[in-house]
Amino acid sequence: MSFMSEKIKVIPCSGMGKVYGLIGRESVLKVVKELCPEQAETMCLAYIVTGDDEVKKQIHNKKCITLDGCPAMCSAKSVELAGGNIVEKRRVLDTFKKHKGAKPGTATELTEEGWHISDEIAGDIANTVRVLSRED
């Protein structure tokens, strides 16, 4: 990674009130705080949605990975509208296809199974971040 490399923006949906949103947020926090703190950062989706000028400047034409909890793809759509360069769109629900019958928890608390799935998603995103960071 070069010294002046831009951090990859990893932006989860808000997903309030849904376990998939909680898993998405926890996955992204693990990526930016533990797995790839030097290469990735996250941004508040609410500021992106409301068109905050400072946030728009920070993501315009920057490499972004979005993680959405549901098929509405709010994070991906909002980042696109703000001018982010989405290099990967991910959905929490896609990971659940490998975990049929999983009981991940609630909108406010994950079970051990939910944390396992969150860690799996975080690992996948971290791998993508590392690859993208080497491209700079």
Side-chain angles (χ1 to χ4, degrees):
M1 188 170 96
S2 65
F3 179 74
M4 294 301 287
S5 275
E6 286 277 346
K7 286 187 175 185
I8 309 298
K9 313 302 185 227
V10 186
I11 304 160
C13 68
S14 296
M16 304 309 286
K18 306 254 191 279
V19 69
Y20 304 116
L22 178 59
I23 288 173
R25 291 189 309 277
E26 291 294 345
S27 299
V28 168
L29 287 174
K30 183 166 185 148
V31 170
V32 301
K33 290 182 180 241
E34 295 175 34
L35 302 176
C36 299
E38 302 298 318
Q39 300 141 312
E41 64 186 352
T42 191
M43 304 180 82
C44 177
L45 184 60
Y47 285 126
I48 296 170
V49 170
T50 59
D52 181 86
D53 287 336
E54 187 61 33
V55 170
K56 284 173 81 171
K57 279 189 236 171
Q58 290 176 33
I59 68 169
H60 186 73
N61 286 330
K62 302 295 190 281
K63 292 179 186 175
C64 300
I65 297 170
T66 59
L67 178 60
D68 282 289
C70 76
M73 302 293 284
C74 295
S75 179
K77 289 175 184 173
S78 298
V79 170
E80 276 179 344
L81 285 172
N85 173 19
I86 299 179
V87 292
E88 184 170 277
K89 295 178 189 177
R90 297 186 60 91
R91 294 181 340 150
V92 171
L93 289 172
D94 292 339
T95 301
F96 270 83
K97 292 175 184 172
K98 297 185 280 185
H99 298 278
K100 298 239 186 272
K103 304 277 190 263
T106 66
T108 57
E109 188 174 354
L110 297 180
T111 62
E112 188 174 323
E113 219 172 357
W115 283 110
H116 172 75
I117 293 167
S118 176
D119 288 346
E120 180 181 328
I121 294 168
D124 290 346
I125 292 172
N127 287 336
T128 300
V129 166
R130 289 180 193 114
V131 168
L132 292 170
S133 293
R134 286 194 294 268
E135 291 175 0
D136 286 344

